[in-house]
Amino acid sequence: MSKTVLPFCLIAIAAVAAGAVTMLGVDTGWRLALALTVAYALPMAIYNRRSWSTATGHYVLLATWLLMAAISIENVMVWTAPEGATAEWPFFESDSRGYYAWALHYYDGRCDAPPVAFPGLPFMMLVLWELFGVNVVWPVAMNVCFTLMAIVIAAWTTVRLLHGRQQARPDRWLGNAALVCGMLLFFLLSESTCILKEAAVALSMSAVGLVLAVFVTDRHLQAKHYAAFVAACLLLAFTRTTYMYFVLLALGIIALGNIKTHVPHTVLLVVLALIAFIAGDSVAYYSFERHVSIISGGERMQRLFMVGQSQQPYLDMVGNYFTYPIWRRLLLLPLSCSVQFIIPFPWIYEGWTTLHEATARCGFGWYAVGGTALFYYVAMSWRRRYWLGTWAWVPAIIFATIAYVTAGSVSRYVLPVEVMFIPVTVWVLSVISGDGGLRRLFIVWAIVFIIALAVTLAVCYDIQVRYLNDLSEYYKERAAHYRDSINSIHDSLP
C-alpha cells in the first residue's frame, strides 16, 4: 500500500469507529468497529500482494468497505432497537432469525433449534462465538469480509483471463476496472451486511471462477489450486448445497472448451466437487430428492415462489409456471431472465427508508455491469477475434438456469453469480477502448439498452402502482364491510 493511501485508510477506520460508538454505544460500537477493520484488512492484504494492485484500486476497495460498514452499523442499530433486543439477542425476521436461533441453540441451548436448509452459515457463527463470545457483530463483519474478498478475487480472475490478450489493456487497468464493477453491485453489498448466506456463496463462486480461469489459461493446475477449489466447494456445499450443481455445470462447460486437455483434469475436479457435495448434502435439511423436486417444478414450487403481493402482477402474467412442461418454461426463459435481471425495482413506495433498503434498490450499478456483459454475448462472443472462451459462458448459463428453476422471481439467488460477470464486463470495456468500430456499435447498444430499460421500468412502475392502489381499495372495502357487520351485530344486541 502506498503512503498516499494509508492516511485515508486510517481516517476511514477512525470515522467508522466513531460512527459505530456513537450509534451503538461503547460496548457494541467498539466491537463492531474492530470486527469491520479486520474484515477490511484481510481482502486489502490479498489485493496489496498482487502485482497489479494500485493506489486507485485501494481507494475503490476502501470506498466499498466504507459503504458496507455504514450499512452494517445501521443494521445493528435497527436489530437492537426493539424493546428487549440486544447485540447478543437481536430482533430478526425470516431466514436470519432461523440462522441465529440455530447457532444459539448449539452454543448454550437457550432456545430451540429451528430447521435450516443448510447449516454452514450458522455453524460459522457458532465458531465465531466460541472464539469471541455471542454478539451479532462478528457474523456481520464476517460477511463483509467474504464479500470484499469475492470482489478482489473477481478482479484477480479478470486479470488472469485477460492478461496478454491482444485487445486487453494493462493488468492494472483491468484490476481497477474490475474493482469498480464490484463496487457497483449494490444489491450484493447490501444483502451481504445481513445474517444471510449470499456473502459466503459469492466468495465460493468467485474462488471457483478463479481456479477455472487458471485452468483455461495454464492448461493445468497446481496443488494450491486444487486446495483452493476444495475449500471453495466445501464452503459452498455446507452453506448452499444446491449451488454445487452449478459448479458441476461449470466444469462441464469448461471441459467442452477443449476435450483433449481439459477432460482428464476436469474428472479430478468433478470427483472433488462430488465429495464436497455429498458431505454438504449429508447435513442439509434439503435432501437430494428435494433438489430433484425443485428442479422439476410442480405444485409445491408454485406454493413456495411468487406468493407475495408485490409479485402478483407477474404471477398473473405467467400463470402456473411451475406446472408447465419443460418446453413451455424454456420458451418463457427470455421473460424470466429479464425479470431476474431487473428486480428489485429501483424505487421504494414507502418514502423514507433505511440505507440498507435504499442500497438494495439502487440497481443501476448492476444494470450497467450486466448490460455491458450482455453486449459481449450479443455482439462479441460469436466473433473469433473477441472470443473469451467457454469460461465466459459459465455465469450466463448459471444465470439462465436459476431463472428457469425459479421463474426469475428471486433475484437474491443470482447475487453470488453477479461477481462472475465482472471479467466479461471488463473485457468489453477493454476492447471498445481501443476498437473504434466496436465502440460505435457499443454506443448504439447502450442507447437502445437504456431506452428499453427505461420503458420497462416505467411500465413496471405503472403496473405495480395500479395494483397496489387496487389492493388498497380492496382492503378498504373489506374493512368497511367488517365494520358494518360489527355495527349490525352491536345494534341487534339488547
Side-chain angles (χ1 to χ4, degrees):
M1 181 186 299
S2 66
K3 295 181 179 179
T4 59
V5 178
L6 183 58
F8 287 95
C9 290
L10 297 177
I11 293 172
I13 292 172
V16 168
V21 171
T22 301
M23 303 298 291
L24 304 173
V26 175
D27 185 58
T28 302
W30 79 262
R31 294 174 190 270
L32 181 58
L34 177 61
L36 288 173
T37 301
V38 175
Y40 167 65
L42 292 177
M44 183 270 293
I46 295 174
Y47 174 67
N48 194 55
R49 290 175 59 87
R50 309 277 66 81
S51 60
W52 39 269
S53 65
T54 66
T56 300
H58 275 292
Y59 287 130
V60 174
L61 191 62
L62 180 63
T64 308
W65 174 74
L66 277 173
L67 175 59
M68 297 189 74
I71 301 172
S72 299
I73 293 171
E74 181 193 61
N75 282 347
V76 175
M77 183 178 66
V78 170
W79 298 334
T80 57
E83 184 178 356
T86 64
E88 185 175 326
W89 208 178
F91 175 77
F92 284 127
E93 295 179 334
S94 191
D95 292 348
S96 299
R97 184 179 183 87
Y99 296 139
Y100 207 88
W102 189 97
L104 276 179
H105 170 81
Y106 286 102
Y107 180 77
D108 59 12
R110 72 179 69 181
C111 61
D112 294 332
V116 296
F118 314 107
L121 175 61
F123 179 77
M124 288 186 287
M125 293 166 54
L126 180 61
V127 173
L128 288 174
W129 291 347
E130 291 289 350
L131 295 174
F132 308 112
V134 178
N135 199 300
V136 71
V137 303
W138 311 126
V140 168
M142 177 186 69
N143 279 350
V144 171
C145 182
F146 283 173
T147 307
L148 294 176
M149 290 178 67
I151 293 173
V152 170
I153 292 174
W156 194 348
T157 303
T158 301
V159 174
R160 168 65 73 160
L161 281 174
L162 307 186
H163 173 77
R165 295 186 67 95
Q166 185 177 354
Q167 302 94 339
R169 299 293 297 273
D171 289 354
R172 293 190 173 189
W173 187 95
L174 298 173
N176 289 342
L179 290 176
V180 171
C181 289
M183 184 178 64
L184 294 177
L185 302 179
F186 295 115
F187 189 21
L188 173 63
L189 302 184
S190 176
E191 292 298 283
S192 295
T193 60
C194 300
I195 308 300
L196 296 171
K197 50 186 175 288
E198 271 60 40
V201 178
L203 174 59
S204 301
M205 296 300 293
S206 189
V208 168
L210 176 58
V211 173
L212 295 183
V214 173
F215 188 20
V216 298
T217 54
D218 291 357
R219 305 294 182 181
H220 70 279
L221 295 173
Q222 300 177 22
K224 62 181 180 181
H225 300 131
Y226 284 109
F229 180 80
V230 170
C233 286
L234 286 174
L235 177 61
L236 186 60
F238 284 95
T239 304
R240 179 166 263 161
T241 314
T242 48
Y243 268 60
M244 287 302 301
Y245 294 115
F246 300 138
V247 175
L248 296 172
L249 177 62
L251 291 173
I253 295 170
I254 295 300
L256 291 175
N258 192 320
I259 298 296
K260 291 183 179 180
T261 60
H262 286 176
V263 168
H265 298 282
T266 304
V267 170
L268 177 56
L269 292 175
V270 167
V271 171
L272 294 174
L274 286 175
I275 293 173
F277 171 82
I278 293 171
D281 187 61
S282 66
V283 297
Y285 183 71
Y286 290 168
S287 64
F288 175 77
E289 291 76 14
R290 177 69 179 276
H291 301 168
V292 173
S293 67
I294 290 174
I295 296 172
S296 303
E299 291 293 340
R300 182 179 179 86
M301 288 289 287
Q302 191 74 32
R303 293 193 301 268
L304 293 175
F305 290 87
M306 291 190 293
V307 294
Q309 294 175 353
S310 61
Q311 293 184 324
Q312 188 61 44
Y314 181 44
L315 179 60
D316 295 338
M317 187 183 304
V318 299
N320 295 323
Y321 174 89
F322 298 100
T323 62
Y324 293 158
I326 294 176
W327 65 267
R328 189 171 179 181
R329 283 189 279 174
L330 288 175
L331 288 177
L332 288 172
L333 196 58
L335 174 62
S336 58
C337 283
S338 299
V339 171
Q340 186 170 262
F341 181 93
I342 204 172
I343 58 175
F345 294 124
W347 59 73
I348 297 172
Y349 294 102
E350 295 81 6
W352 180 89
T353 187
T354 62
L355 179 61
H356 166 256
E357 179 68 18
T359 307
R361 294 286 178 174
C362 189
F364 301 106
W366 160 243
Y367 298 157
V369 173
T372 303
L374 188 59
F375 177 78
Y376 168 81
Y377 300 108
V378 172
M380 295 173 60
S381 62
W382 47 273
R383 304 186 188 188
R384 185 176 182 85
R385 182 183 179 188
Y386 305 125
W387 172 249
L388 196 54
T390 54
W391 192 101
W393 287 98
V394 170
I397 293 176
I398 294 176
F399 186 95
T401 302
I402 296 175
Y404 169 82
V405 172
T406 68
S409 60
V410 190
S411 58
R412 184 162 60 90
Y413 289 173
V414 294
L415 288 180
V417 185
E418 290 181 0
V419 293
M420 299 185 72
F421 282 101
I422 290 177
V424 183
T425 299
V426 175
W427 172 237
V428 174
L429 297 176
S430 176
V431 172
I432 65 174
S433 65
D435 188 323
L438 195 65
R439 181 165 59 251
R440 288 188 290 272
L441 181 60
F442 177 78
I443 292 173
V444 174
W445 163 266
I447 293 172
V448 173
F449 178 80
I450 291 172
I451 292 174
L453 179 64
V455 171
T456 303
L457 289 175
V459 171
C460 291
Y461 183 84
D462 179 68
I463 292 175
Q464 202 164 16
V465 166
R466 285 191 287 108
Y467 173 75
L468 291 177
N469 287 337
D470 293 343
L471 194 65
S472 176
E473 291 299 322
Y474 168 75
Y475 281 119
K476 286 180 181 179
E477 291 177 0
R478 291 197 63 178
H481 172 73
Y482 287 135
R483 185 171 59 251
D484 293 342
S485 299
I486 293 173
N487 288 338
S488 297
I489 295 173
H490 178 75
D491 293 339
S492 65
L493 293 176

